[in-house]
Amino acid sequence: MKYLSGQDIKLHDQVQLWKDKCGIVVCIIEDSLFSHEFPQADWAFLQKGLLVNMDDGQFIHYPEIDEDLTFVVPQ
């Protein structure tokens, strides 16, 4: 999967979803990439897209990448 910018999405990327909402990519379902804390057996039912663990502990499933999801460059 790729961001709209064309850059590859990777596990553990820090992303911004909205102005004040950030999180970490924990699963890239269609590429069969799952972090250790979020195993394939628990999340493959989503079938496509990616899963973001938000800073506030919520989970957001993105079946399709849109303009709200942007990569945050580490400082």
Side-chain angles (χ1 to χ4, degrees), residues 17-71:
L17 286 79
W18 302 284
K19 183 177 181 180
D20 60 344
K21 298 291 184 183
C22 293
I24 303 292
V25 175
V26 294
C27 303
I28 306 171
I29 294 105
E30 59 198 64
D31 293 341
S32 296
L33 299 172
F34 297 83
S35 64
H36 295 286
E37 299 87 9
F38 301 90
Q40 184 172 6
D42 293 343
W43 296 99
F45 73 92
L46 295 172
Q47 297 184 347
K48 68 177 191 172
L50 57 87
L51 185 69
V52 176
N53 185 1
M54 304 296 294
D55 289 345
D56 63 7
Q58 294 182 43
F59 296 98
I60 304 289
H61 174 229
Y62 268 86
E64 303 281 329
I65 304 307
D66 64 25
E67 67 277 354
D68 290 333
L69 183 77
T70 57
F71 177 68

Side-chain angles (χ1 to χ4, degrees), residues 1-10 13 65 70-74:
M1 293 191 78
K2 296 183 181 288
Y3 296 101
L4 292 182
S5 67
Q7 180 179 1
D8 287 334
I9 299 173
K10 298 178 182 163
D13 276 357
I65 304 307
T70 57
F71 177 68
V72 175
V73 177

